[in-house]
Amino acid sequence: MPFICLLLSGAALLVNGLATLGRLPRRDAATFSLLLGGTQLVLGVVHLSTGNTGTEHLLTAAGMFLFGLTYAYAGLDVLLALGSKGLGWFCGMVAFFGLLLAGAWIGTDPLLAVLWVCWSVLWGLLFASAAFGAVRLEPFTGWALVLASQVTATFPAFLGLSGVWPRSDWAAWLAAAFLAGVFVAARVLARRGHCGPRRASMGEAVSPR
């Protein structure tokens, strides 16, 4: 279940990143986020229903619910025109809790701990953009979501589903270095103005340049 949720998150991060960059209508991304977030919440309930009360099992469930609630809330925020500030503060709380989860996983699964740090940064960017209206961060946030979607969610999900999830320290350090490069690349792309904060309309997509 957790790796299926992670695979779905890769798609959600990609779609929302493209919407932030103006490459997809916000309403399209919101509908997808709501559908995917609801699916993740159901999978989280199924995961808990096994009756396992171990620490790792509960930490995993917490992560599944945080992702699912974020996507569901993001979808409703756009579809119901809620104004984003509530979503922003929720993302801020999740960013903080994500760091706590990173600390909880560091001893048993250092790679997952590194991924949680990265996800916390993404949630932090959404917190700044939505809660405080930091529009200038949107190009960087959009590129960070697009680039991180595959390297922090889709590819790790494939590793987990294939039964080859690495738990060694060297894998975590390698991932940390690579993810630092991802954020640098996102910053460079944002500063170059590729896919600036141009918005697609509610009813039509914007064709790639």
Side-chain angles (χ1 to χ4, degrees), residues 8-34:
L8 296 176
S9 288
L13 292 172
L14 176 62
V15 168
N16 281 282
L18 291 173
T20 302
L21 292 171
R23 293 305 189 177
L24 291 175
R26 290 278 192 174
R27 193 173 183 85
D28 285 7
T31 302
F32 182 69
S33 293
L34 182 58

Side-chain angles (χ1 to χ4, degrees), residues 122-199:
L122 295 178
W123 265 302
L125 290 172
L126 295 173
F127 166 60
S129 297
F132 298 105
V135 179
R136 67 184 183 279
L137 289 177
E138 289 196 357
F140 174 57
T141 301
W143 277 115
L145 289 171
V146 169
L147 297 179
S149 66
Q150 306 307 298
V151 297
T152 69
T154 303
F155 183 65
F158 174 76
L159 294 179
L161 291 170
S162 301
V164 292
W165 183 271
R167 287 180 176 256
S168 60
D169 291 339
W170 69 264
W173 282 109
L174 181 62
F178 187 77
L179 290 174
V182 165
F183 282 105
V184 170
R187 179 60 177 165
V188 170
L189 289 170
R191 293 191 65 177
R192 287 181 177 176
H194 294 174
C195 290
R198 180 167 56 94
R199 291 288 170 264

